[in-house]
Amino acid sequence: MSQPSKWWWGLIPLAILCILATFITGKSINSDLNNRATASLGSAVVSPVFSVAGRDVALAGVVFSPDAANQVAASVGQVWGVRRVLVDAKEPEVAKPFNWAISHEGPSVVLSGSVPNPDTREKIVATAKATFAGADVKDEMHYASGAAAGYAGAVQFGIDQLGKLSKGSASLSDTGLTISGSADTSDAYNAITTALKTLPEGLTLAKSDITAPKPEPAAPVTPTTETPAAPAVATASSSTDTSAAATATSTVATTAAAYGFDAARDTDKLTLSGNYPDDDTHGKILDTAKSLFPGDVVNDQMTAAPGAPNGFANAALAGLSALSRLAKGTFSLAGTNATLSGEALYDGAVNSVQRGFAAALPDGFKAASATITVSTPAPAVDAVNCQSMLNGIVTKSKIGFETGKARVSPASSGLLDTIVATINRCPGSNIEVSGHTDSSGDEKANIVLSEQRAKAVLTYLTDAGVPSSRLTAVGFGSSHPLASNDTEEGKALNRRIEFSVK
């Protein structure tokens, strides 16, 4: 020991061994503590990130309730060896609106949009796999806060209905359900249209676009005509020929007069029956019906048959437009004779509907005197419910205008009549009508156009009997977008009229 120069060299490897032992053991302890802390979490935290310093544990990640962070800290703190827990886990960002969607095409099912927590996510995926057995279910959902009450039940309902269709999609925007697709059988079509009339509590039908199975074409109607007799010298034979020709003409006229079309509107349902001459006309009638009656289930019972009178398609579309202004009613075509009856939404609409119906029919068609009464007024509501009802109306359908102009499209008359009837239910409130555009073009011109469109709507309302003292019109141009103006879909959403109850 009195000669350190002979032994101090041995301290160097000893020091190295101590350092290595400390590093390796510490790393092992940290790893063990990390593993045991992670195991204690279960599914309480999504994408957990731990850092361990000595016996202190810091945790980041995603939790799904305000109390979850405290529960996580308590759970990790009970792990043997942990001295202190620092939790920086946060809830997902709020999604507004809270959107969710499912699409089914061939063997593929895609889930997308927002989901509030892991348990609900697992149930949605399990439901989709059970409903679409054998399909490739792709989960592209992401976590978000802000789901409406009843979200899980609404999603379950949407998946169940989509399961009745051969292909299609369903989506939720807060409490509004949109569903579209094709039914292969009449039973499936009837089942889904019936279900959409009794939605789960809190769920509303934003839009339904269900294609019914194509009906089998009816057997062609072959008019029975008599072949005129060959001309003869005798006067009696000529008389017989004239009689035969008259019989033939009478038979053909009866066949044309028998060609019919009917549309009946009741609460949230439109039933179409009768004939259509070709697929193009059939498609136009269905597309127009779905556009004019956005909240109604369209029940297509039409069949194909030849023999339609000239102008049949335009007459059918004119009748549907008039029917859209009634709370309930019927429109019928029998040959070239058109009839309309039902209940208008308010007093001032009766004469307007009658005049518009007769004027819109094409040449050669005759309108019988429309039998229109006024539906019983619904009870008054407060400002909050009035705002909610107006929001629901403009969510289902948009007020249309001629491109680049402030002239309201005639096809929007039914929608505006519904708005008039709704405003009449909240007589103690004032209404601000605001116009909005997308970002295309000059912003000053957009502000002017949006204000002119708001004023055009205001004029419709006052002409319908709403006191002008209750209404104001304002134009915001593109300053209040609902969606990105980078896509055509976003621009379409931004071009709108809104109603604010004051």
Side-chain angles (χ1 to χ4, degrees):
M1 297 296 292
S2 61
Q3 298 181 2
S5 60
K6 294 183 177 180
W7 53 264
W8 74 270
W9 293 101
L11 295 177
I12 295 175
L14 182 62
I16 293 173
L17 288 174
C18 289
I19 293 171
L20 288 173
T22 300
F23 175 77
I24 294 171
T25 303
K27 186 174 181 180
S28 176
I29 292 173
N30 285 357
S31 176
D32 175 65
L33 200 59
N34 190 327
N35 292 337
R36 287 189 289 116
T38 300
S40 71
L41 292 178
S43 60
V45 180
V46 171
S47 303
V49 177
F50 280 104
S51 60
V52 179
R55 293 168 56 200
D56 296 339
V57 176
L59 169 65
V62 179
V63 293
F64 298 95
S65 72
D67 297 331
N70 294 331
Q71 295 171 359
V72 166
S75 177
V76 176
Q78 293 177 357
V79 175
W80 184 85
V82 173
R83 178 179 62 183
R84 185 173 59 174
V85 181
L86 303 175
V87 179
D88 190 29
K90 300 178 181 179
E91 292 184 71
E93 293 186 3
V94 175
K96 196 62 181 175
F98 200 93
N99 295 328
W100 172 87
I102 179 172
S103 62
H104 176 214
E105 181 75 29
S108 177
V109 173
V110 179
L111 301 167
S112 59
S114 301
V115 64
N117 55 60
D119 289 342
T120 303
R121 183 178 203 145
E122 289 180 8
K123 291 178 182 178
I124 291 174
V125 173
T127 299
K129 289 181 178 180
T131 302
F132 303 95
D136 177 21
V137 177
K138 299 177 182 178
D139 178 8
E140 298 179 358
M141 297 181 289
H142 58 268
Y143 292 113
S145 300
Y151 166 88
V155 168
Q156 172 76 58
F157 180 84
I159 294 176
D160 288 346
Q161 304 320 308
L162 186 61
K164 299 181 176 80
L165 302 176
S166 57
K167 63 178 180 179
S169 64
S171 63
L172 281 176
S173 182
D174 290 332
T175 59
L177 172 68
T178 296
I179 185 165
S180 62
S182 303
D184 279 345
T185 66
S186 297
D187 287 344
Y189 180 82
N190 292 333
I192 191 170
T193 53
T194 299
L196 292 176
K197 291 189 289 184
T198 54
L199 298 172
E201 184 177 356
L203 186 63
T204 60
L205 184 62
K207 186 176 181 181
S208 170
D209 187 7
I210 309 299
T211 302
K214 189 173 181 180
E216 292 294 330
V221 178
T222 304
T224 302
T225 59
E226 296 183 13
T227 303
V233 176
T235 305
S237 297
S238 298
S239 175
T240 302
D241 293 343
T242 303
S243 175
T247 302
T249 302
S250 174
T251 304
V252 173
T254 301
T255 303
Y259 200 92
F261 169 77
D262 296 280
R265 186 186 196 186
D266 206 341
T267 307
D268 299 329
K269 182 178 181 180
L270 177 72
T271 301
L272 305 175
S273 57
N275 307 125
Y276 63 86
D278 51 62
D279 289 343
D280 183 57
T281 301
H282 186 213
K284 286 180 180 178
I285 291 174
L286 286 179
D287 289 344
T288 300
K290 292 171 182 177
S291 175
L292 291 174
F293 304 88
D296 293 5
V297 174
V298 178
N299 184 11
D300 176 19
Q301 298 180 359
M302 296 183 289
T303 57
N310 291 334
F312 168 82
N314 290 336
L317 301 185
L320 288 174
S321 180
L323 185 60
S324 73
R325 299 188 62 185
L326 303 180
K328 60 181 180 180
T330 59
F331 161 70
S332 297
L333 282 175
T336 58
N337 295 318
T339 58
L340 177 71
S341 63
E343 297 180 1
L345 290 162
Y346 56 92
D347 289 340
V350 174
N351 291 332
S352 176
V353 172
Q354 290 174 330
R355 291 194 304 269
F357 170 58
L361 290 172
D363 292 340
F365 284 78
K366 181 181 179 181
S369 296
T371 306
I372 299 175
T373 59
V374 180
S375 60
T376 303
V381 297
D382 59 19
V384 174
N385 284 314
C386 184
Q387 183 69 73
S388 177
M389 288 190 296
L390 288 171
N391 289 346
I393 293 168
V394 296
T395 297
K396 291 179 181 178
S397 187
K398 292 177 62 176
I399 299 171
F401 297 87
E402 295 183 11
T403 303
K405 298 180 181 179
R407 184 176 299 172
V408 177
S409 168
S412 293
S413 296
L415 173 60
L416 286 167
D417 283 353
T418 303
I419 291 170
V420 170
T422 303
I423 292 175
N424 288 341
R425 294 184 61 183
C426 39
S429 302
N430 294 328
I431 311 294
E432 178 185 89
V433 183
S434 59
H436 304 265
T437 68
D438 60 37
S439 61
S440 301
D442 179 70
E443 181 58 17
K444 290 183 179 179
N446 285 338
I447 292 174
V448 171
L449 177 62
S450 63
E451 183 177 1
Q452 289 175 341
R453 287 181 168 178
K455 288 181 176 178
V457 172
L458 186 148
T459 298
Y460 190 101
L461 301 180
T462 55
D463 288 347
V466 179
S468 59
S469 59
R470 297 181 56 200
L471 304 171
T472 55
V474 62
F476 289 108
S478 63
S479 63
H480 292 55
L482 289 179
S484 170
N485 281 297
D486 294 335
T487 65
E488 291 304 317
E489 293 80 4
K491 288 181 178 181
L493 289 173
N494 293 332
R495 297 189 296 269
R496 68 196 189 278
I497 295 289
E498 292 183 342
F499 299 86
S500 300
V501 180
K502 305 294 185 180

